[in-house]
Amino acid sequence: MESGSSYALARRGERLGLSKRIGTLFHETFPLSRPGIAAVLRQANGKLSLKELIEILCEEENLGRNWAKAVPSYARACGLMEFGSTQLTSLGLHVQEHDPALSLPATLWLMHYHLCAPQGPGPRFWHDLIVRVPQVQQPFRKSDVVTEIERSVLAESGTTLKDRGVESTATIFLGSYTKSDALGPLELLSENGGEYAFETPDAPPTGVFAYALSHYWQSQLPSQQTCTMEDFSVPGGFGSLFSMGSFHVNRALRQLARQGVLELWMAAPPYQVTRPPTPEKLLEGIYAVE
């Protein structure tokens, strides 16, 4: 589905048990909703069962039943709530403390990153769409998204979805990037008369880039202490998740080196990047003022 190196890295991470990911039809036909996910962050505490959390979302947050079923899955897919419990992740707790309304660009970028990271927690098709569709054609239509979802599901599981399931999944993906209460403010995707195009938005904040790079490295390169700079900007690789070309990826890496987050070894090519600290140690930089 994506470049060979990215696909191989993702599969290696999955074989090692380093990833958990949401299934394809997690969405209950609802696109991502930041207010809905914010309600999950307010109510989730680790002591509740998922069924109890859904009931609270219905009764205290006034969410419809199907919406209340969908938003905990979105919270997990965005890296904010643990799998198998209603406990918020360390990132979810940090977001709840610093941006409970999920309105800041840094938060939106990290939600997007987790949805499309090759190792999860977002569904496999989300990653494949983000790295594959921009390479196929621009502009594109919903039918192209449907085709790519079918391709992704078949490659992952060897099975096919019913037409209704594929159609609704394409709709929620597109809506998640065009609706103002979803990830629309990132301006990653534009729509005009039924045609869509991936745009080149401003690069994410440096703290977001650092956290995402560490998360990516932890799952994709678990045994490596260094990696070549160019590996992060190959088509379908880490930079593609943020629509960043090699210039912007290398600029972000240099900025992290100046901050002491990592080192760049540039005495002779191929230039090397040293492993950053764990994601938990980089939380404080996410909302730092640049």
Side-chain angles (χ1 to χ4, degrees):
M1 287 302 302
E2 63 274 30
S3 68
S5 59
S6 176
Y7 185 85
L9 283 171
R11 291 308 186 206
R12 183 174 69 181
E14 290 167 5
R15 288 197 304 272
L16 292 173
L18 298 173
S19 65
K20 293 181 179 179
R21 65 183 337 132
I22 289 291
T24 302
L25 299 178
F26 74 98
H27 48 77
E28 300 283 342
T29 75
F30 288 95
L32 184 150
S33 163
R34 285 185 284 121
I37 298 173
V40 174
L41 267 60
R42 285 194 295 272
Q43 300 295 343
N45 60 24
K47 298 179 181 179
L48 299 170
S49 68
L50 180 59
K51 182 178 180 180
E52 290 170 331
L53 175 60
I54 291 172
E55 291 298 326
I56 289 175
L57 291 173
C58 292
E59 295 172 5
E60 298 189 18
E61 300 288 347
N62 297 315
L63 302 189
R65 175 67 56 177
N66 288 341
W67 193 13
K69 290 179 181 178
V71 287
S73 293
Y74 270 108
R76 286 173 174 154
C78 291
L80 304 175
M81 192 169 81
E82 299 283 0
F83 281 79
S85 79
T86 58
Q87 177 64 47
L88 298 183
T89 63
S90 56
L91 175 62
L93 291 169
H94 193 70
V95 169
Q96 174 64 3
E97 178 182 356
H98 294 275
D99 183 23
L102 311 183
S103 60
L104 297 177
T107 304
L108 272 64
W109 273 120
L110 281 174
M111 293 168 67
H112 158 76
Y113 164 74
H114 283 289
L115 280 163
C116 68
Q119 69 277 8
R124 184 73 204 185
F125 78 83
W126 209 291
H127 166 77
D128 292 344
L129 288 173
I130 291 295
V131 301
R132 167 81 178 175
V133 173
Q135 299 177 35
V136 176
Q137 65 183 57
Q138 296 284 332
F140 60 92
R141 304 187 71 86
K142 179 183 173 181
S143 59
D144 299 308
V145 175
V146 167
T147 298
E148 292 304 324
I149 292 173
E150 291 174 331
R151 188 197 307 268
S152 177
V153 171
L154 184 62
E156 180 183 31
S157 65
T159 61
T160 59
L161 296 177
K162 294 181 179 180
D163 291 345
R164 184 177 179 182
V166 180
E167 287 283 337
S168 66
T169 301
T171 298
I172 69 98
F173 175 82
L174 295 170
S176 294
Y177 285 101
T178 53
K179 292 181 178 295
S180 60
D181 66 346
L183 300 177
L186 292 179
E187 298 183 343
L188 269 169
L189 195 65
S190 62
E191 189 271 335
N192 182 21
E195 290 191 333
Y196 299 85
F198 278 99
E199 305 296 341
T200 305
D202 293 336
T206 305
V208 168
F209 185 93
Y211 181 95
L213 178 67
S214 176
H215 183 270
Y216 180 92
W217 198 308
Q218 193 173 64
S219 293
Q220 302 298 90
L221 308 163
S223 62
Q224 290 185 219
Q225 295 304 310
T226 64
C227 186
T228 63
M229 286 181 69
E230 64 182 20
D231 283 346
F232 294 117
S233 54
V234 296
F238 178 74
S240 294
L241 304 180
F242 295 105
S243 296
M244 296 172 69
S246 59
F247 173 80
H248 291 98
V249 169
N250 291 345
R251 184 171 66 177
L253 291 172
R254 289 188 176 94
Q255 190 165 355
L256 293 181
R258 288 194 294 270
Q259 295 174 0
V261 174
L262 48 75
E263 296 180 23
L264 299 180
W265 297 348
M266 305 183 68
Y271 304 135
Q272 299 288 307
V273 182
T274 65
R275 185 175 188 140
T278 62
E280 290 72 22
K281 293 181 178 179
L282 296 171
L283 284 170
E284 293 303 321
I286 290 174
Y287 297 109
V289 178
E290 297 188 356

